[in-house]
Amino acid sequence: MPVSAAASAREILTRLHDVMAARTTAQMKLNSVVAIIGEAIHSEVCSIYLLREGVLELYATRGLDQGAVHVTKLALGEGLVGTIAQRVEVLNLDEAASHPDFAYKPETGEDRFHSFAGVPIIRRERAVGVLAVQHTDRRRYADVEIEALQTVAMVLSELIANAGLIDATGGGTDRPQSTAAMRIPGQKLVDGMGAGYAVFHQPRIHIEHTVAEDIDAERHRVYAAFDKMREGIDRMTREAEFGVGGEHEEVLATYKMFAYDEGWARRINEAIDSGLTAEAAIERVQQRTRQRMRQIDDPLLADRMHDLEDLSNRLIRIVSGQMGTAAQVGLRQDTILIARNLGPAELLEYDRRRLKGVVLEEGSLTAHVTIVARAMGVPVLGRVRDVRRLIAEGDLLLLDVSDGTVFARPNSGIEESFEARLALRQKRKAAFAALRDVPPVTKDGHRLTLMVNAGLRDDVAALDVTGADGIGLFRTEFQFLVSATLPQRERQQRLYREVLDVAGDRPVIFRTVDIGGDKALPYLHKTDAEEENPAMGWRALRLGLERDGLMKVQARALLEAASGRTLNVMFPMVSEPWEFDEARALFEDQRAWMNRRGRQMPIEIRYGAMLEVPALAEQLDILLPRIQFLSIGTNDLTQFLFAADRANPKLAERYDWLSPSILRFLARVVGPTRAAGVDLAVCGEMGGRPLEAMALIGLGIDRLSITPAAVGPIKAMVRSLDRSAVTSFMTGLLADPPRDMRGALTDWALQNGVELT
Ligand code: PEP
Ligand code: MG
C-alpha cells in the first residue's frame, strides 16, 4: 500500500499521463484508467460511471461483468453511485449492501463485493460522473486511497471533457435542484425584468491541464502566484480601496488571513506533489474545503467560504493568466451578469445593449453601482444569497426584480408566466409613456417640476422619451468613471455641449465631479493615507477644492460649453458655506480669465449647492442668500443622518426614507429655503419612489429630479394626488409620528386613491 496520498496519486497520475496522451478512443482510455487505478490501489473492482442524458451509465469497469458496461444505468439519487453524484459527496463503506441507498444491479455480478468507495467526478462544481472501487473484504478504504481517487477524478474530468463525454444536460450537483427550475429571492435594487443567460463577471476558470509535466515547474508557478496575490492584497489594504463600503476592514482581515495561511499553501503543494498542475492543485484543495464546509451548517462559515472561494479563484486566475472580467472577453447577446459585487466603473465597462440584468450577491439601493445601473436602464436584483453557487455559467435566467426573484433554468410554465408578466409590464410602460406630454399637475392644480438624473451621454435621450422638465442632476463624474484616463478639457466640453444641445430650452444642472466614496478612479491616486471611510472621506468638493487643477479644467469646460446660454452649476457635499464660496470663486476666476481673453461666456451662471451633509442645514440661513438653488441629495444625507453606510449591504434595510427623522429634517429645510426664494429640489433616489415622492410633496417640495424610468409612475401618482390634502395629512403625521410611518402613508394613499404603482 502506498505510504502517502501524494505518492499514491502520483504513481497513478504518472501512468495516466501516458494514457491521456495516447491516440486512442475515449472508451479505450477509460478502460486503461480503470485497470491502472484498480491495480494501483489493489482493488478488485474499479468502475467509471458517466452522466449521460441525466442518467449515470457504467462506462468502464475492471472487476464487474463486462456485459454490464453501457447496460447498467442509475438515475441521479439512485443507488450508491447516484447518491454520490447527486450529493457530490464521497462514500466509503465496509458493507455496501447495508447502506440505505444501496441498489442491487444483478447484471454487474457485484454481490461478491462487500466494501465500496466512490468519489464524484466534478466539473464546474457539478458531478459529471462517479469513480468507484469495490472489494470482497469488509474494509473501509484508507484516507490516502480516497485522496488518490479524488485526485484521479480530477484528471478524469479533464479526460471526459476533452473527449466530449460531458453530458449536455449538466450533472448532479452539490445542490439537488440545480438542474431543475429554481426560484431565488433577492432584494429589489433596480426595478425591471429581463431574460438572458448567466455570465459571471469574473468568469469561472477553465482548467486545461490537470496532470503535471514537471512538478518543480508547477511548484514555482504556484509560489509566484502566491507572491503576486499576497502583494495585491497588501496593496488593497494599504490603499483601502478594496470593495465598497465599510466592510473593508473585516473583508481585508479575512482575506489576509487566508492569503497568508500556510496550511492552505501546504495543501496546494501536496496536491502538486501528487502530480497535479498548479491550477488543478488549487482546485483540488478547494473541492476538499467545499466538501468539509458543506458538512458544517453555519452561516458565518458560509461567508468565510465565499472569501476562500474568491481567493482560490484569484489564485487560479493569476496562475493561469486568465485575469480578465467578462467585460473584456466580450458579452454574448442577452446577458444576465452575476457578481458578488461590482463597482460603478466595472459595470460601465459592459455593453448596455447586451446586458439584460445584473444579479448581485451583495449590493444596496443607493450604492453607485445601483445608480449607474438605473441610469443604464439595467434591472438589478441584489443580496441574492449564494447566487454564484446556485447558478451556473450559461444557465437561462428570468429576472423579475419587481417580484424580487430570479428564476434559474425555468421550465416552460414559468417561462409562460414570465412572458405574461412582461407583457403586462410593457403595457403599463406604454401607459406611462402616454403621459409623456401630460404635465405633472396635482388634482388641485399645482404644477410640479419633474426632472431627470443623468450622467452618460445616452441618458440625455431620456428627456424626450419621458417629457421631463430638464436634467436636475447631471453627474459629471460618470464620464470620469468610464474613461481609462482623466478626461481632458476638450472631451468634457464636448459632452457638456452635446447635453445642452439636446436639452435645448430645458435646464440642465451640472454637478461638479463627485469622485471618491465608492466612485474610485483607478487613474487618480487620491491620497497616500489610507481612508478608512471613503464615503466620509476626501471626496467630491473636498477633493475638488484641494485638487483645484481638476476643478478649474472642469469649470472652463462648462463655461465654454454653455457659451451663449444659461449655465447651472451645482457643488456636491458642501458641508459649510465657505466651501460653496470657494467653489463659486474658482468658477468666477475662470470666467474672468476667459473674459479677459475675449471668449464668449454663458449669458448667466446660476450657482447651487447640494444638501447632503447634515451639518450644512445648521448654516442654511448663511448659505441661502448666496445660492440660486438647493438640491437635497437624500442618498448621502440618509447615510450621514443615520450613520449608516449606503453601500453596506448589511445596513441596506436598516433605515427607511420615510422615517420621521428624515421627514422632519426635510420639513425644517423647506420653510426657510422657500422664504429665501431659492429653488428647492430633491435629487436622491428617494424622489423616484411614488410613496416617498408623495411624502416629499406633502412636505412642500415641488421639484424632483429622478431616474428616467420613474418619471411615468411619479407623474401618474402626482396626477392622482391632492396636494393640499397630503400637506395637511403630513403636518399632523410629523407632529405626532406613528411608529409605522410607511404604513400610515400607504393607508392614506390607498384611501385617497393615490396611484402608487
Ligand atoms: C445623493 O447623495 O443623494 C445624490 C443625488 O448624489 P450621489 O448619489 O451621486 O452621491
Ligand atoms: Mg451624493
Side-chain angles (χ1 to χ4, degrees):
M1 190 72 21
V3 289
S4 73
S8 172
R10 181 145 61 168
E11 182 200 324
I12 301 172
L13 257 49
T14 311
R15 295 177 64 188
L16 283 191
H17 184 259
D18 299 336
V19 174
M20 303 273 288
R23 290 172 151 266
T24 52
T25 62
Q27 181 66 57
M28 286 172 80
K29 284 183 185 175
L30 292 178
N31 292 346
S32 307
V33 170
V34 287
I36 291 169
I37 299 168
E39 216 171 276
I41 66 169
H42 310 290
S43 200
E44 285 151 300
V45 177
C46 176
S47 313
I48 293 171
Y49 295 81
L50 297 186
L51 194 70
R52 305 293 294 162
E53 286 160 14
V55 174
L56 289 150
E57 181 176 324
L58 179 63
Y59 247 74
T61 185
R62 157 192 143 124
L64 296 183
D65 289 351
Q66 289 304 315
V69 173
H70 299 302
V71 172
T72 297
K73 292 181 183 167
L74 294 136
L76 276 176
E78 183 191 356
L80 300 179
V81 167
T83 302
I84 291 167
Q86 188 177 56
R87 298 204 193 135
V88 198
E89 256 174 29
V90 173
L91 280 183
N92 184 3
L93 310 166
D94 49 14
E95 182 52 75
S98 62
H99 191 279
D101 291 330
F102 178 76
Y104 177 53
K105 292 281 171 183
E107 71 276 12
T108 59
E110 64 182 341
D111 37 339
R112 291 175 285 136
F113 307 108
H114 293 282
S115 52
F116 172 98
V119 300
I121 302 169
I122 303 169
R123 183 125 185 117
R124 297 191 195 132
E125 292 180 46
R126 298 178 179 207
V128 291
V130 170
L131 172 64
V133 288
Q134 288 168 271
H135 213 275
T136 37
D137 295 349
R138 283 187 182 83
R139 69 164 174 104
R140 280 166 75 85
Y141 285 83
D143 286 350
V144 290
E145 291 169 314
I146 299 291
E147 277 283 323
L149 287 176
Q150 287 178 302
T151 303
V152 170
M154 280 205 74
V155 179
L156 278 175
S157 137
E158 180 194 337
L159 191 154
I160 60 179
N162 289 345
L165 294 173
I166 293 279
D167 188 2
T169 58
T173 107
D174 48 345
R175 60 259 185 189
Q177 7 12 358
S178 74
T179 49
M182 185 187 245
R183 180 182 183 275
I184 314 169
Q187 192 200 346
K188 194 194 298 191
L189 293 185
V190 178
D191 198 13
M193 294 174 80
Y197 296 91
V199 170
F200 283 72
H201 170 59
Q202 301 221 293
R204 276 193 208 285
I205 296 126
H206 302 295
I207 299 179
E208 309 257 324
H209 298 292
T210 47
V211 184
E213 297 274 342
D214 175 347
I215 286 183
D216 277 341
E218 295 302 321
R219 216 176 277 133
H220 279 113
R221 288 178 68 218
V222 98
Y223 283 149
F226 258 109
D227 280 350
K228 199 162 169 190
M229 182 188 70
R230 288 169 177 170
E231 232 171 69
I233 285 163
D234 290 347
R235 196 172 44 245
M236 274 183 218
T237 319
R238 268 199 312 278
E239 293 174 5
E241 277 184 5
F242 171 74
V244 284
E247 282 184 306
H248 297 157
E249 243 179 86
E250 193 194 329
V251 170
L252 282 174
T254 318
Y255 262 67
K256 260 190 115 148
M257 195 183 82
F258 282 134
Y260 281 90
D261 179 12
E262 284 309 322
W264 184 35
R266 196 191 57 244
R267 284 190 292 278
I268 293 175
N269 266 314
E270 281 168 6
I272 291 179
D273 281 346
S274 73
L276 292 175
T277 56
E279 291 89 337
I282 301 166
E283 174 60 21
R284 171 76 199 95
V285 171
Q286 194 52 23
Q287 278 179 4
R288 205 184 306 156
T289 316
R290 251 178 237 135
Q291 220 150 34
R292 295 225 172 104
M293 292 292 208
R294 213 175 295 129
Q295 285 150 10
I296 310 169
D297 184 20
D298 177 343
L300 265 179
L301 272 179
D303 275 354
R304 294 286 75 88
M305 186 61 200
H306 285 314
D307 292 339
L308 196 56
E309 290 271 359
D310 266 9
L311 218 49
S312 200
N313 287 341
R314 191 180 283 253
L315 197 61
I316 298 185
R317 220 169 260 125
I318 295 172
V319 107
S320 63
Q322 298 174 41
M323 302 284 283
T325 67
Q328 278 110 48
V329 179
L331 276 196
R332 63 193 292 174
Q333 201 69 39
D334 298 346
T335 285
I336 303 245
L337 193 64
I338 312 289
R340 176 185 175 134
N341 213 340
L342 287 172
E346 284 177 312
L347 179 63
L348 284 166
E349 274 179 13
Y350 286 94
D351 178 350
R352 62 204 287 187
R353 285 160 307 186
R354 289 169 184 255
L355 213 53
K356 300 296 176 227
V358 174
V359 178
L360 299 177
E361 227 155 82
E362 300 183 348
S364 72
L365 210 50
T366 56
H368 280 109
V369 63
T370 310
I371 291 172
V372 168
R374 204 170 284 133
M376 290 166 78
V378 176
V380 183
L381 189 68
R383 313 197 64 202
V384 184
R385 245 181 101 81
D386 257 4
V387 65
R388 289 172 305 158
R389 207 174 62 75
L390 298 173
I391 289 173
E393 186 106 30
D395 274 353
L396 176 61
L397 303 179
L398 303 179
L399 180 62
D400 185 349
V401 181
S402 34
D403 191 37
T405 53
V406 58
F407 269 105
R409 306 170 290 272
N411 54 34
S412 56
I414 295 170
E415 269 187 78
E416 268 166 35
S417 101
F418 180 84
E419 296 293 335
R421 270 175 296 141
L422 192 63
L424 198 72
R425 193 183 172 82
Q426 312 284 29
K427 218 164 120 189
R428 212 180 297 139
K429 224 170 149 183
F432 289 140
L435 291 178
R436 178 182 170 276
D437 298 318
V438 177
V441 179
T442 59
K443 274 200 324 203
D444 49 343
H446 288 277
R447 168 70 159 88
L448 304 186
T449 304
L450 278 192
M451 303 199 280
V452 286
N453 294 342
L456 301 169
R457 168 67 189 78
D458 293 352
D459 296 346
V460 185
L463 269 179
D464 289 330
V465 175
T466 59
D469 294 316
I471 298 178
L473 167 66
F474 189 86
R475 290 182 165 103
T476 59
E477 65 276 5
F478 279 13
Q479 185 184 26
F480 289 63
L481 287 170
V482 289
S483 307
T485 54
L486 203 69
Q488 300 301 305
R489 197 184 84 239
E490 291 73 23
R491 262 177 64 207
Q492 294 184 36
Q493 194 243 84
R494 213 175 315 130
L495 171 68
Y496 305 151
R497 194 185 292 276
E498 281 172 11
V499 171
L500 287 168
D501 283 347
V502 177
D505 307 335
R506 293 164 292 195
V508 178
I509 297 180
F510 289 100
R511 177 177 75 180
T512 57
V513 283
D514 180 1
I515 296 167
D518 62 352
K519 290 182 276 198
L521 300 181
Y523 51 83
L524 187 79
H525 290 290
K526 295 198 308 163
T527 168
D528 296 333
E530 255 181 38
E531 280 206 307
E532 294 221 339
N533 213 330
M536 293 204 280
W538 197 53
R539 78 175 254 216
L541 196 58
R542 301 162 180 186
L543 184 150
L545 289 178
E546 225 168 290
R547 286 268 174 99
D548 61 355
L550 195 108
M551 195 137 156
K552 281 178 186 163
V553 168
Q554 184 170 41
R556 270 193 227 164
L558 284 167
L559 289 163
E560 282 167 358
S563 65
R565 327 187 213 216
T566 297
L567 173 63
N568 294 289
V569 186
M570 177 160 78
F571 303 118
M573 292 282 288
V574 178
S575 311
E576 297 204 71
W578 67 262
E579 292 171 333
F580 171 82
D581 293 342
E582 276 199 13
R584 184 182 193 281
L586 184 145
F587 264 73
E588 287 298 314
D589 283 350
Q590 295 311 304
R591 164 149 70 169
W593 186 89
M594 288 168 71
N595 232 344
R596 283 199 296 277
R597 276 158 187 76
R599 308 266 175 85
Q600 214 203 336
M601 286 291 100
I603 42 175
E604 184 196 5
I605 308 181
R606 298 179 77 239
Y607 290 102
M610 284 192 74
L611 174 58
E612 42 189 353
V613 179
L616 187 65
E618 299 299 326
Q619 296 197 58
L620 208 54
D621 53 325
I622 298 168
L623 180 76
L624 285 172
R626 310 175 192 198
I627 58 177
Q628 271 90 37
F629 58 91
L630 184 71
S631 196
I632 306 177
T634 44
N635 303 339
D636 275 312
L637 183 67
T638 316
Q639 75 166 336
F640 298 138
L641 269 181
F642 276 93
D645 185 348
R646 67 194 259 185
N648 184 339
K650 285 201 195 115
L651 302 177
E653 281 161 271
R654 196 73 181 222
Y655 56 75
D656 190 341
W657 275 316
L658 293 177
S659 89
S661 310
I662 295 173
L663 296 177
R664 282 177 160 210
F665 183 97
L666 296 177
R668 273 187 19 238
V669 173
V670 175
T673 310
R674 265 198 184 159
V678 169
D679 289 344
L680 176 65
V682 164
C683 63
E685 304 307 304
M686 178 181 178
R689 306 176 133 223
L691 190 65
E692 279 82 343
M694 182 191 89
L696 291 173
I697 294 166
L699 293 177
I701 291 167
D702 51 18
R703 281 171 180 264
L704 298 174
S705 189
I706 56 182
T707 187
V711 173
I714 296 292
K715 217 185 253 188
M717 183 279 291
V718 165
R719 294 181 63 82
S720 65
L721 178 71
D722 186 317
R723 194 177 81 144
S724 40
V726 73
T727 306
S728 50
F729 176 64
M730 286 290 291
T731 310
L733 214 54
L734 288 191
D736 182 15
R739 194 175 161 157
D740 180 9
M741 197 74 157
R742 179 170 290 277
L745 282 161
T746 310
D747 289 348
W748 186 87
L750 293 176
Q751 280 155 19
N752 288 273
V754 181
E755 209 174 298
L756 288 183
T757 46

